[in-house]
Amino acid sequence: MRQERGPAVNPYLPMRARVIGTRIETDDRMLKTIDLSPAGLKVPEGFPFKPGQFCEISIFGRGEAPFGIASSPTEVGFLRFTVNRAGLVTAAIHRLEKGDEVGLRGPFGKAFPIDLFEGNHVVVIGGGFAFTTLRSLVVYMLDKQNRSRFGGITVIYGARSPGLLLYREELTAWGRQDDLDLYVTVDQGDQDWDGLEGFVPDVVARVSPSAKGTYAVVCGPPIMIKFTLPRLLELGFQGDQVYTSLERRMKCGLGKCGRCNIGHLYVCKDGPVFSYAQLARLVLDD
């Protein structure tokens, strides 16, 4: 593996990155967070990215897979990824320990339209482990250098059970902040849970965020998105006010291999962030 600087030199050549931290996120141990430090590069100066983008992580002898960046550009010194153990590559990532090396390509894809969000309210709606890139967005907007650029920030996040919530310490800290409205829900609580119970789309209806001057970002399981989008439309959101991030068999990250196309668009290059209006037009075109 050459020690190059990534896409500017050859986008297919991974750079080395060292694991500088790991943490199991969920009680079922299926979700693990790793923090990476790209060799020879400072983050974010030497590895500029925006919330919503993704990287390809490769494990020697196992393969490569795409993962959304969970850290924010405002966090210095590391790139964070939270990985669901679901196959050969992700199982190998779960075996990584501090000090191990991986291959890293990226960042790839289009980010959340932060410039568009500026001066407006933002509602962030997430479910399950799809909350990773939403964490990046929320941390970015809450940063003291950025907070005044946005109106009200509302976060609605749900999981099947309390033990499957990601970033629980951060959720607790966010819950204490007065510049963020946080609603955390689980499908079914346990004896220690004193928060909301119910599905994310139902909580969205209960919270009823105003559509006026507001953008919504929705990431989660397809079934959650399917039932959340109609709720937002009922509240008055238009298609160009709602954004989501798709994961569709991305491979090369460059729109070349043809594995992730939807109609004439490639999820890895033209997305993974799309507006609901864009996606609706794709359905009509088909």
Side-chain angles (χ1 to χ4, degrees), residues 103-121:
L104 180 71
R105 295 194 297 126
F108 295 122
K110 292 184 177 176
F112 296 119
I114 289 173
D115 292 345
L116 197 62
F117 294 168
E118 283 195 27
N120 294 282
H121 307 304

Side-chain angles (χ1 to χ4, degrees), residues 50-54 67-71 112 124 129-139 166-167 217 219 245 247 272-273:
K50 295 180 179 178
Q53 290 189 290
F54 71 96
F67 301 97
I69 304 172
S71 52
F112 296 119
V124 176
F129 71 89
F131 197 65
T132 57
T133 54
L134 296 182
R135 177 201 179 272
S136 174
L137 176 63
V138 173
V139 172
L166 294 178
Y167 317 129
V217 183
C219 294
S245 181
E247 295 181 10
V273 174

Side-chain angles (χ1 to χ4, degrees), residues 113-276:
I114 289 173
D115 292 345
L116 197 62
F117 294 168
E118 283 195 27
N120 294 282
H121 307 304
V122 182
V123 180
V124 176
I125 303 169
F129 71 89
F131 197 65
T132 57
T133 54
L134 296 182
R135 177 201 179 272
S136 174
L137 176 63
V138 173
V139 172
Y140 179 87
M141 292 190 296
L142 289 178
D143 185 84
K144 61 183 180 181
Q145 299 295 325
N146 297 323
R147 184 62 189 89
S148 62
R149 296 163 55 193
F150 305 95
I153 300 173
T154 300
V155 175
I156 300 171
Y157 172 47
R160 283 184 285 126
S161 66
L164 296 181
L165 291 167
L166 294 178
Y167 317 129
R168 278 174 269 179
E169 291 183 4
E170 282 186 319
L171 292 176
T172 300
W174 291 352
R176 298 191 186 107
Q177 294 189 212
D178 57 9
D179 60 348
L180 168 74
D181 292 323
L182 176 67
Y183 301 88
V184 180
T185 184
V186 296
D187 295 356
Q188 186 169 12
D190 55 25
Q191 66 277 10
D192 298 321
W193 180 253
D194 59 358
L196 297 173
E197 284 188 319
F199 299 124
V200 167
D202 296 332
V203 175
V204 171
R206 265 190 275 170
V207 174
S208 296
S210 170
K212 185 177 181 181
T214 305
Y215 285 91
V217 183
V218 186
C219 294
I223 191 67
M224 188 211 84
I225 295 175
K226 177 182 177 181
F227 286 100
T228 298
L229 289 176
R231 301 288 193 188
L232 291 172
L233 298 179
E234 290 168 5
L235 291 168
F237 283 83
Q238 303 299 307
D240 57 1
Q241 291 177 267
V242 181
Y243 285 80
T244 188
S245 181
L246 300 181
E247 295 181 10
R248 186 184 172 94
R249 300 191 296 274
M250 294 187 295
K251 184 63 177 176
C252 71
L254 302 165
K256 301 296 184 184
C257 71
R259 286 188 49 168
C260 65
N261 67 298
I262 301 178
H264 65 284
L265 299 179
Y266 292 91
V267 173
C268 70
K269 181 172 68 73
D270 301 306
V273 174
F274 295 95
S275 71
Y276 178 69

